[in-house]
Amino acid sequence: MPDLSNFPIATRWPAQHPDRIQLYSLNTPNGVKVSIMLEEAGLPYEPHLVDIMKDESHTPEFLSLNPNGKIPAIIDPDGPGGQPLGLFESGAILLYLADKTGKFIPADPARRWETIQWVFFQMASIGPMFGQVGFFNKFAGKTYEDKRPLQRYVAESKRLLGVLDTRLDGRDWIMGDDYSIADIATLGWVNNLITFYEARELVEFDSFRNVSAWLERGLARPAVKRGLEIPGRS
Ligand SMILES: N[C@@H](CCC(=O)N[C@@H](CS)C(=O)NCC(=O)O)C(=O)O
């Protein structure tokens, strides 16, 4: 049985199944990337709910795994060389799980890099910009009198949706016929923008026909449906 005693996080969130991948997360747009990937890949895992609203991601136990204090993070008890591996940053986790399983990333080197490029596009652009729309449209920033920050992030999010829409023209998935970690990284963010962040009209979402159709296709996948709820609040 793998020994996770070197990971202080396992004292606060004990492993019932230490032989399975340990997922420390919440079903936010960054969190669900990993639960969707684990569900899609069919890897055995044990989810632990980290309540970021109660600041649990800033406890010493969580910070011991991710010094940046943000979900998601994982421990793979069967990491490289059969040794446990702790990992944070959702993009790095997606790449790691894709390499580990050989799934959801093309084997062809050029297409592999193209996929990674779109994962970075999500990490560096879609996530940060949509997140700011959420802050200024739904959360604390909603009451700010100065609407210029909201306008700036809405404009940038629309531009990014346009980039995605063009990419999806004539393609079912970001990598064409191959559903990949680029889709897994992005689906939860686009879904969140028009649901939880209540920005559907604001970003004129329905004008992005290819993105709408892609989102519908993604949300119809059973693993995506399950992943979006894991770990949910009990
Ligand atoms: N770049 C990070 C971002 C992670 C992130 O922003 N997580 C948010 C939830 S979606 C979080 O944990 N927020 C809690 C906090 O900052 O205290 C990743 O992709 O893993």
Side-chain angles (χ1 to χ4, degrees):
M1 199 53 85
D3 178 15
L4 301 183
S5 58
N6 284 338
F7 292 90
I9 195 164
T11 59
R12 189 178 179 115
W13 289 276
Q16 303 298 319
H17 304 280
D19 53 327
R20 299 181 188 171
I21 291 176
Q22 302 293 302
L23 170 65
Y24 307 93
S25 190
L26 180 68
N27 60 339
T28 68
N30 286 315
V32 298
K33 292 178 207 172
V34 181
S35 42
I36 291 172
M37 177 65 178
L38 288 163
E39 290 289 332
E40 292 279 16
L43 283 168
Y45 70 104
E46 183 175 353
H48 302 276
L49 190 146
V50 178
D51 194 340
I52 59 175
M53 305 314 281
K54 292 190 184 144
D55 245 8
E56 286 187 340
S57 62
H58 295 276
T59 55
E61 294 90 344
F62 189 89
L63 291 168
S64 69
L65 184 58
N66 181 1
N68 194 32
K70 289 180 188 294
I71 59 98
I74 63 164
I75 300 172
D76 181 0
D78 183 25
Q83 294 305 304
L85 176 76
L87 218 49
F88 63 90
E89 279 297 329
S90 57
I93 297 172
L94 286 183
L95 276 165
Y96 171 72
L97 294 174
D99 273 3
K100 180 183 172 80
T101 57
K103 291 180 175 169
F104 308 116
I105 192 156
D108 171 73
R111 282 182 57 76
R112 174 184 160 82
W113 282 111
E114 201 180 339
T115 308
I116 293 172
Q117 157 193 279
W118 285 101
V119 171
F120 273 65
F121 172 74
Q122 182 287 306
M123 293 297 297
S125 298
I126 296 259
M129 292 301 121
F130 287 14
Q132 294 298 337
V133 171
F135 178 83
F136 286 102
N137 188 49
K138 171 96 187 260
F139 304 114
K142 191 177 177 163
T143 57
Y144 293 4
E145 248 173 64
D146 187 347
K147 294 298 170 203
R148 284 173 299 179
L150 173 65
Q151 286 159 4
R152 171 177 155 74
Y153 294 119
V154 166
E156 181 61 0
S157 296
K158 283 165 80 170
R159 193 188 66 77
L160 293 169
L161 284 168
V163 173
L164 190 57
D165 206 63
T166 302
R167 172 67 187 185
L168 287 167
D169 195 16
R171 292 184 175 90
D172 274 359
W173 306 110
I174 293 174
M175 288 303 296
D177 290 339
D178 296 328
Y179 174 75
S180 74
I181 53 172
D183 303 290
I184 293 173
T186 314
L187 280 166
W189 271 105
V190 173
N191 185 47
N192 204 65
L193 181 71
I194 60 168
T195 55
F196 193 49
Y197 290 170
E198 299 171 2
R200 187 177 197 120
E201 281 79 32
L202 205 56
V203 300
E204 296 171 21
F205 183 74
D206 296 311
S207 65
F208 301 101
R209 297 288 169 84
N210 301 320
V211 177
S212 297
W214 161 86
L215 179 63
E216 218 170 287
R217 270 192 294 279
L219 294 178
R221 295 179 73 91
V224 172
K225 284 194 186 121
R226 292 194 300 274
L228 285 173
E229 304 297 328
I230 301 172
R233 292 171 190 282
S234 47

